[in-house]
Amino acid sequence: MSDDTPRQKTLLPRVDLPSGARRETLAVREGLPPSAWGENSEALFLTSSFCHPDAATAAARFANEEEAFVYSRFTNPTVMMMERRLAALEGTEACIATSSGMSAILLLCMGLLKAGDHVVCSQSVFGSTIKLIQGEFGKFGVQSSFVSQTDVRAWRDAMRPNTKLLFAETPSNPLTEVCDIGALAEIAHAGGALLAVDNCFCTPALQRPVEFGADLIIHSGTKYLDGQGRVLAGAICCSQQLIDDAFMPAMRSAGMSLSPFNAWVVLKGLETLDIRMQAQSARALELARWLESHPAVARVLHPGLASHPQHALAMAQQAGNGGAVASFVVNASDAAQARERAFAVIDATRICSITANLGDTKTTITHPASTSHGRLSEEQRLAAGITQGLVRVAVGLDHLDDLKADLARGLDPLAA
Ligand SMILES: *Cc1c(COP(=O)(O)O)cnc(C)c1O
């Protein structure tokens, strides 16, 4: 090899699967080939570092000329199996795993933004996402505008010459507002920016944002990817080039790494993601229909309901599926009474877990205004539509009749 020939990077092997294997198959098989021992279930590699056969090989690996495992802050086989599997499900070239959903958004911003850049973000995204972009990155000179989730014109009007990133979450938490991914991708690309979509609520089982033009997919693996409320995890799915140029350098320096154990839990969770999402979404739609007919309920929000403002868009974007989260507003005459009634409904449950987490097989119930969105100002909350009477139910695998009875216990006395 002459000196001016670029050295070909030696890559890690792929799992030996026939080309064109379908998503269901990839969900249980994509990853890395088994180790020397031929294990059928993926191995958990609890090791902080990896040994090299000699000093020259170590040098080549540190120089990134040979893809190999070096140090678990940025390379670990169990973590890589999870990354490859999630990328296969999202239909992206690559994926980088992080210690939580928030650290995925931290890595996104560290990798893509610098002082003077501008972000356009939906005002309906996860509360901590607003805090991170506006508060933490604002401190370092990153500008941000927050716009209506569903108003495409507001996104377009918010664009500036220095806009580098558009950030959307669809459906949003907890109102399940749906934004038009294709329209936002066009706006982003026309302005030379990238579109990131937080796909937490749908997961790739229901919605693959890259198919509509999104550049980056954000995940809180803590939710449906794990699926049983055990670990914190996060990920960014995108092109290999963005991982190599923007995210891997930031990950190596900043270390918001996913632990191999948590990666292993998520990896195994991905195997049942599809059937869990189908089953939980079907229950959520049934529960939403029942809530809609309850006299103590003013409004129900679930993208599968014909009454949902973006029902048609949601069905087109989410493979005809509304997702497993349903929110409802209790009837009340003012904000104080609404809060009291929402609390009463939550406190009357005996099956639902009172917790702000979601994506679990156990159904969870929460009052967003005082929990997940409690750190926002009242003005920000109202802009996002989080009123005091709002209750969010993230439906798990509990029997539907038990869930109805659980909510009826608090709702029926309010209707009397
Ligand atoms: C929970 C959540 C996050 C943050 O994820 P963590 O794993 O808790 O850090 C981000 N986005 C959405 C939509 C979420 O629901």
Side-chain angles (χ1 to χ4, degrees):
M1 190 191 281
S2 74
D3 276 355
D4 51 5
T5 316
R7 243 201 294 179
Q8 190 68 40
K9 188 166 153 178
T10 316
L11 297 173
L12 287 165
R14 315 281 320 179
V15 180
D16 184 21
L17 290 172
S19 68
R22 289 160 182 81
R23 291 181 58 260
E24 288 82 348
T25 306
L26 296 173
V28 295
R29 304 212 174 253
E30 181 60 286
L32 282 165
S35 77
W37 313 117
E39 68 280 0
N40 188 40
S41 177
E42 294 78 2
L44 171 49
F45 289 91
L46 288 180
T47 177
S48 42
S49 76
F50 298 83
C51 300
H52 313 286
D54 49 61
T57 307
R61 289 173 178 178
F62 271 81
N64 218 14
E65 290 159 0
E66 180 181 324
E67 194 182 32
F69 299 105
V70 172
Y71 188 63
S72 289
R73 186 179 339 106
F74 48 95
T75 46
N76 176 279
T78 309
V79 177
M80 180 173 273
M81 286 190 271
M82 188 219 104
E83 292 169 336
R84 285 186 169 182
R85 192 169 285 182
L86 184 55
L89 297 184
E90 282 290 3
T92 56
E93 255 173 22
C95 167
I96 186 164
T98 58
S99 56
S100 68
M102 287 321 302
S103 66
I105 304 174
L106 172 68
L107 179 61
L108 175 82
C109 294
M110 281 185 74
L112 297 181
L113 303 172
K114 60 182 185 323
D117 287 345
H118 175 242
V119 182
V120 183
C121 183
S122 160
Q123 67 195 4
S124 308
V125 295
F126 191 63
S128 296
T129 304
I130 296 178
K131 286 277 178 200
L132 179 65
I133 292 175
Q134 188 176 52
E136 303 304 329
F137 278 89
K139 284 197 305 207
F140 299 112
V142 171
Q143 305 161 16
S144 50
S145 305
F146 293 85
V147 297
S148 157
Q149 167 93 345
T150 54
D151 184 351
V152 173
R153 175 178 292 179
W155 288 82
R156 193 177 295 118
D157 290 349
M159 294 296 286
R160 298 179 192 166
N162 56 340
T163 304
K164 293 288 161 56
L165 178 68
L166 278 67
F167 190 101
E169 179 187 313
T170 185
S172 67
N173 178 27
L175 295 182
T176 71
E177 289 178 321
V178 175
C179 65
D180 186 336
I181 299 171
L184 299 188
E186 264 182 43
I187 293 170
H189 299 156
L194 298 175
L195 172 65
V197 174
D198 186 330
N199 200 22
C200 175
F201 266 45
C202 275
T203 82
L206 306 184
Q207 169 176 275
R208 290 174 292 285
V210 282
E211 292 174 2
F212 303 97
D215 304 288
L216 303 121
I217 319 304
I218 302 296
H219 273 292
S220 168
T222 315
K223 313 294 169 53
Y224 296 102
L225 304 188
D226 164 16
Q228 293 178 59
R230 298 165 292 195
V231 298
L232 289 175
I236 303 175
C237 297
C238 60
S239 66
Q240 187 65 52
Q241 195 183 348
L242 276 173
I243 302 256
D244 292 345
D245 297 349
F247 302 129
M248 194 46 107
M251 172 64 82
R252 270 182 98 142
S253 308
M256 58 291 267
S257 330
L258 182 60
S259 88
F261 179 81
N262 289 8
W264 182 81
V265 171
V266 173
L267 175 74
K268 302 309 283 181
L270 289 176
E271 297 183 1
T272 55
L273 178 65
D274 230 87
I275 54 174
R276 281 187 284 107
M277 288 310 290
Q278 298 297 337
Q280 292 177 218
S281 299
R283 281 171 175 72
L285 178 58
E286 277 306 302
L287 190 71
R289 288 193 174 125
W290 174 81
L291 282 165
E292 215 170 28
S293 69
H294 199 286
V297 173
R299 194 162 175 223
V300 184
L301 293 149
H302 182 270
L305 293 174
S307 60
H308 189 280
Q310 297 95 37
H311 174 65
L313 174 63
M315 293 301 98
Q317 246 171 214
Q318 302 171 197
N321 208 313
V325 175
S327 293
F328 61 95
V329 181
V330 293
N331 273 322
S333 50
D334 56 45
Q337 189 189 44
R339 183 183 173 102
E340 189 186 306
R341 289 185 162 192
F343 277 27
V345 171
I346 292 168
D347 291 346
T349 61
R350 289 169 53 195
I351 289 178
C352 293
S353 310
I354 304 176
T355 171
N357 194 26
L358 66 105
D360 202 318
T361 49
K362 295 179 171 68
T363 301
T364 63
I365 191 165
T366 190
H367 182 249
S370 60
T371 58
S372 54
H373 293 66
R375 285 196 296 160
L376 300 183
S377 68
E378 183 67 6
E379 191 189 6
Q380 282 174 318
R381 257 199 302 276
L382 290 178
I386 317 291
T387 59
Q388 293 296 334
L390 184 74
V391 176
R392 189 198 72 192
V393 182
V395 180
L397 291 174
D398 302 284
H399 195 286
L400 193 58
D401 292 342
D402 290 335
L403 293 179
K404 287 180 188 170
D406 215 31
L407 293 172
R409 210 173 292 118
L411 285 170
D412 288 353
L414 300 180

